[in-house]
Amino acid sequence: MANKLISQMGLPKSIANIFAARNIITAKDALSLTELELMELLDVGLAEVTNAVTHISEIVSPPYQTVLSLLEQRVQNEYLAGHLPTQLKGLDAALFGGIPFGVVTELVGPAGIGKTQFCLKLALLASLPFTYGGLNGHVIYIDTESKFSSRRMIEIGVNSFPEVFHIEGMAQEMAGRILVLRPASLAEFTESLQQLKVSVLQHQVKLLIVDSMAALISGESGQGHVRQQSLGWHISFLKSLAEFSRIPVVVTNQVRSQSGDEGPQYTFQVQSARDNPECPTSDSHLVAALGIHWAHAVSVRLVFESRSGLRFIKLAKSSTSPPVAFPFNITSAGISLLNDEGMEIKGPEITTIHCQGHVGILNFVNDE
Amino acid sequence: MVHYVFLLGAQSAWDMLHEEKSCKSITTSCSDLDEILGGGINCKEVTEIGGVPGIGKTQMGIQLAINVQIPAQYGGLGGKAVYIDTEGSFMVERALQIAEACIEDLREYDSFLRKDGKPCQINKQPNDFLANIFYFRVCSYTEQIAVVNYLEKFISEHEDVKVVIIDSITFHFRQDFDNMALRTRLLGGMALKLMKLANKFSLAVVLLNQVTTKYSEGSFQLTLALGDSWSHACTNRIILYWNGNERYAYIDKSPSLQSASSPYSVTAKGIRNSVSNCKRVKMM
């Protein structure tokens, strides 16, 4: 819509010609100027500019729908409201059915906690035939940290869905549907994302996983503005890819430690904290590697953490559920919840990421 | 009485006072928050609400889109809502949930007033609430500017629209800009148009904003996004934040209200008063 040509909007010929003569070709060109700037540039009166801008705006403005009609569409096309079930009962219930289609879901947590295990399982689930609760589709797995292990994935498959994987040739069929990309640089990653856009629609891709986003962004460009800029592009791209192809996009994020007190606060909070000198300051703690700009963009955030040696999946951001945490462990079949009840969490606990003594992930893998 | 005004287009402060008094506000469904806001989100004003991810900005937006429809006999505006979604974060299922809870509350209010057991008066269904929210999905800053320009015409055709919510004002303006001066000008222009809209149609404009970190006085501080000049654009600025285990709303800027804060909570029914003493801890 933004690139719509002004010459094709049915403006009066006289004014349309003036726009063209001043090289204002698209709606974006015109609306990126204030009315005063347009007056000056086009050398016409305010009334004419206002009329033209009103006309252009009405054409470019997306059509509205009532929320009721949105709801009816969802009911009619179940896939619009679809979810990829994680087959972890408690988590699926909290998420109204699983990882939602059409939005970006983030997994964040310390190294070795089980994010990749979770991703491997999701990849399998999306490729599984409908009859077994899967999405019967292709999966694109962007593995930036070289952590993807086919052997481990098949192992999870064999142990989670023995009835499928014991069928002759099924393991090959399932694994064949999962396409792994290993971009070596941010530029390569960006390029493969752009190519993805087309293939997602053409090839029945039902899930996109990026494991991890942080590795590329923090590895490559330095601090500050450049990094924010490139991250901005990736955020927009992944969000719109998810939305327009109606697939779940799952992205992992690393953690980094931040020293000092509770991290940034608002000015008015800092002032009140100064008035209250007894405010305790904690030691260094973990925060998500990609900052607050990124955090705004994800629709669902799952924090993987460990407290006193016990691992938890924490649903830290979701518009369907209050924040809840589920203890889990990792078995040969992947992640399994210790109970499906979950416990509600409040306040700063929701956003903190604990890392207290989880050790030796996947010991059992080597016990063959 | 209306005072004689010798300057065309002007209005005397006395008349304005009357108008301000008759001006309605939209309840947030959290009476503590309504109280510090002087009744709720005011019509004829542009109110910015910002906060960290997951604090409940979108929840607040959806709640207001429902609450603006509370009928006049229940102290509401009986209006309709325009919801401009720039991030794709609007949840239809959640809107339905909040509408159901709102009807439930109105019924309760009914039975409270009518002890004689007459049947409830409220005959609205959740779907009626959803049908009165006009939803625009905006995918670029150009479209965002276009919708805001188009709203004047749209609302003159749908005069009972009493709230315009933009969720969020920030998203597209944060991604695609190298030229910060241009961004500031465009945002400024948009704010002026929204202000005009609020006045012309006596409606409330609610802009949701993200937060960013800013380096000042030797440390990183949280602040609402879009920079300093934007912070002048809105009538009121409300910051949602965590205070210990509770969600709080803080009035950061307002020409008529005292700076104050109040707790609130996000429940299955929507935004409500904070009930910190009634914990629902299930385990451990």
Side-chain angles (χ1 to χ4, degrees):
Chain A
M1 287 302 236
N3 295 323
K4 212 158 181 168
L5 299 175
I6 289 178
S7 56
Q8 296 170 3
M9 290 186 183
L11 278 173
K13 257 266 167 328
S14 56
I15 190 104
N17 287 342
I18 301 177
F19 273 100
R22 294 292 182 275
N23 207 22
I24 300 177
I25 308 300
T26 65
K28 185 174 179 176
D29 297 338
L31 296 179
S32 295
L33 293 165
T34 63
E35 281 161 31
L36 278 176
E37 286 168 322
L38 278 175
M39 270 171 75
E40 204 171 304
L41 192 66
L42 304 178
D43 197 21
V44 294
L46 180 61
E48 281 160 289
V49 166
T50 311
N51 284 340
V53 168
T54 309
H55 184 85
I56 295 170
S57 295
E58 189 173 344
I59 289 176
V60 175
S61 171
Y64 80 88
Q65 281 185 294
T66 68
V67 172
L68 182 62
S69 69
L70 282 179
L71 184 71
E72 282 162 354
Q73 280 171 25
R74 296 259 161 127
V75 176
Q76 281 162 15
N77 312 310
E78 211 286 313
Y79 77 97
L80 285 176
H83 293 90
L84 168 60
T86 64
Q87 302 204 346
L88 302 172
K89 239 167 140 190
L91 188 62
D92 282 345
L95 288 169
F96 277 17
I99 307 291
F101 289 9
V103 295
V104 178
T105 297
E106 178 193 28
L107 317 175
V108 59
I113 188 80
K115 300 188 295 292
T116 300
Q117 301 295 310
F118 192 79
C119 290
L120 292 175
K121 182 77 167 272
L122 286 180
L124 279 174
L125 284 165
S127 65
L128 220 57
F130 290 123
T131 40
Y132 296 96
L135 300 178
N136 201 29
H138 281 108
V139 175
I140 295 178
Y141 198 117
I142 303 184
D143 176 31
T144 66
E145 297 180 0
S146 296
K147 283 186 181 156
F148 182 88
S149 154
S150 317
R151 206 176 63 152
R152 173 63 182 144
M153 192 180 72
I154 300 292
E155 185 190 32
I156 293 177
V158 169
N159 288 295
S160 314
F161 316 105
E163 68 284 13
V164 187
F165 278 77
H166 286 150
I167 302 172
E168 179 78 30
M170 215 40 175
Q172 192 188 351
E173 163 89 37
M174 292 292 99
R177 293 180 176 179
I178 298 166
L179 309 174
V180 182
L181 282 170
R182 287 204 163 128
S185 67
L186 189 60
E188 252 184 73
F189 174 59
T190 310
E191 205 186 301
S192 28
L193 277 186
Q194 276 160 338
Q195 289 170 358
L196 267 181
K197 203 170 183 177
V198 187
S199 45
V200 161
L201 291 172
Q202 285 174 348
H203 297 102
Q204 284 281 311
V205 173
K206 290 295 172 64
L207 172 67
L208 169 65
I209 295 175
V210 182
D211 180 24
S212 76
M213 186 77 172
L216 283 173
I217 302 276
S218 49
E220 189 111 346
S221 45
Q223 290 289 320
H225 195 63
V226 185
R227 178 171 156 180
Q228 282 301 325
Q229 283 282 314
S230 85
L231 188 56
W233 183 88
H234 292 92
I235 291 173
S236 291
F237 188 88
L238 288 174
K239 270 185 86 109
S240 63
L241 185 72
E243 188 172 354
F244 291 106
S245 54
R246 299 303 312 175
I247 60 168
V249 172
V250 175
V251 178
T252 66
N253 188 358
Q254 303 168 336
V255 295
R256 61 182 173 80
S257 62
Q258 180 171 293
S259 57
D261 50 16
E262 294 181 41
Q265 291 187 310
Y266 297 104
T267 325
F268 67 87
Q269 283 177 296
V270 174
Q271 276 158 1
S272 63
R274 274 187 200 131
D275 299 340
N276 176 15
E278 282 168 44
C279 194
T281 51
S282 58
D283 309 328
S284 88
H285 58 282
L286 297 175
V287 295
L290 302 174
I292 204 158
H293 185 189
W294 165 257
H296 275 297
V298 302
S299 302
V300 177
R301 170 175 266 193
L302 291 171
V303 172
F304 287 64
E305 61 172 7
S306 56
R307 270 176 278 158
S308 334
L310 200 55
R311 293 167 206 254
F312 290 89
I313 298 182
K314 194 159 71 178
L315 181 54
K317 182 185 182 185
S318 153
S319 45
T320 56
S321 161
V324 282
F326 301 93
F328 73 93
N329 60 13
I330 298 175
T331 68
S332 54
I335 284 177
S336 75
L337 299 185
L338 297 179
N339 72 58
D340 290 311
E341 280 297 298
M343 49 194 174
E344 215 163 305
I345 29 179
K346 289 181 182 268
E349 270 303 303
I350 297 171
T351 44
T352 45
I353 303 168
H354 294 282
C355 181
Q356 295 162 352
H358 66 269
V359 279
I361 187 172
L362 297 187
N363 279 340
F364 60 90
V365 174
N366 305 323
D367 296 341
E368 289 175 45
Chain B
M1 92 182 246
V2 176
H3 288 252
Y4 169 68
V5 176
F6 53 85
L7 191 63
L8 198 69
Q11 197 183 13
S12 83
W14 180 258
D15 293 340
M16 282 170 76
L17 177 70
H18 268 275
E19 223 178 79
E20 276 166 29
K21 275 185 179 164
S22 65
C23 206
K24 291 224 174 139
S25 50
I26 307 164
T27 170
T28 61
S29 287
C30 166
S31 58
D32 293 337
L33 180 53
D34 283 351
E35 192 166 318
I36 64 166
L37 290 170
I41 303 294
N42 284 328
C43 289
K44 292 199 163 196
E45 286 178 5
V46 178
T47 302
E48 178 183 23
I49 302 177
V52 294
I55 191 78
K57 298 184 294 293
T58 298
Q59 305 288 329
M60 191 68 90
I62 297 175
Q63 185 76 57
L64 291 169
I66 299 291
N67 286 0
V68 73
Q69 305 180 44
I70 295 174
Q73 68 262 38
Y74 295 89
L77 274 75
K80 295 182 179 175
V82 166
Y83 201 103
I84 300 171
D85 186 4
T86 68
E87 302 195 13
S89 53
F90 187 86
M91 297 283 302
V92 182
E93 297 86 353
R94 186 69 178 132
L96 183 63
Q97 235 177 3
I98 291 177
E100 282 164 353
C102 179
I103 289 176
E104 213 173 283
D105 284 0
L106 295 181
R107 291 229 164 94
E108 210 167 283
Y109 181 79
D110 255 340
S111 61
F112 185 69
L113 285 185
R114 268 179 270 281
K115 291 255 164 63
D116 50 1
K118 273 188 198 162
C120 308
Q121 273 220 316
I122 180 92
N123 52 5
K124 276 195 145 204
Q125 296 300 315
N127 281 356
D128 301 333
F129 278 84
L130 301 190
N132 285 336
I133 305 175
F134 305 115
Y135 174 89
F136 291 85
R137 176 74 177 98
V138 159
C139 298
S140 67
Y141 79 83
T142 310
E143 284 186 22
Q144 189 172 333
I145 292 170
V147 174
V148 170
N149 288 340
Y150 169 59
L151 275 183
E152 184 164 355
K153 184 171 179 212
F154 180 82
I155 294 174
S156 59
E157 289 161 1
H158 299 81
E159 286 230 5
D160 32 12
V161 168
K162 284 296 161 208
V163 68
V164 172
I165 297 149
I166 305 188
D167 177 13
S168 67
I169 190 86
T170 332
F171 183 69
H172 297 299
F173 284 88
R174 218 172 168 178
Q175 322 293 347
D176 321 324
F177 276 91
D178 317 317
N179 182 342
M180 287 299 152
L182 172 64
R183 184 177 95 164
T184 304
R185 284 203 304 280
L186 291 177
L187 281 166
M190 194 176 340
L192 278 177
K193 281 177 185 148
L194 289 167
M195 199 83 81
K196 191 176 144 202
L197 210 63
N199 269 311
K200 184 170 175 189
F201 297 101
S202 293
L203 53 80
V205 175
V206 176
L207 308 178
L208 305 182
N209 193 358
Q210 304 180 341
V211 303
T212 185
T213 49
K214 179 173 134 181
Y215 192 75
S216 83
E217 295 170 30
S219 65
F220 282 101
Q221 290 187 340
L222 284 181
T223 179
L224 299 198
L226 300 180
D228 290 327
S229 48
W230 169 256
S231 65
H232 299 284
C234 301
T235 328
N236 308 301
R237 172 172 264 195
I238 301 169
I239 295 178
L240 307 178
Y241 68 104
W242 286 109
N243 183 6
N245 284 335
E246 275 184 294
R247 295 169 206 261
Y248 268 70
Y250 172 79
I251 302 179
D252 191 47
K253 189 190 109 169
S254 160
S256 57
L257 301 168
Q258 284 184 344
S259 100
S261 57
S262 101
Y264 70 97
S265 66
V266 179
T267 71
K269 294 174 141 199
I271 305 285
R272 290 293 184 271
N273 272 344
S274 168
V275 275
S276 51
N277 44 1
C278 142
K279 283 194 179 119
R280 287 188 293 146
V281 179
K282 287 180 185 163
M283 211 200 80
M284 287 224 323

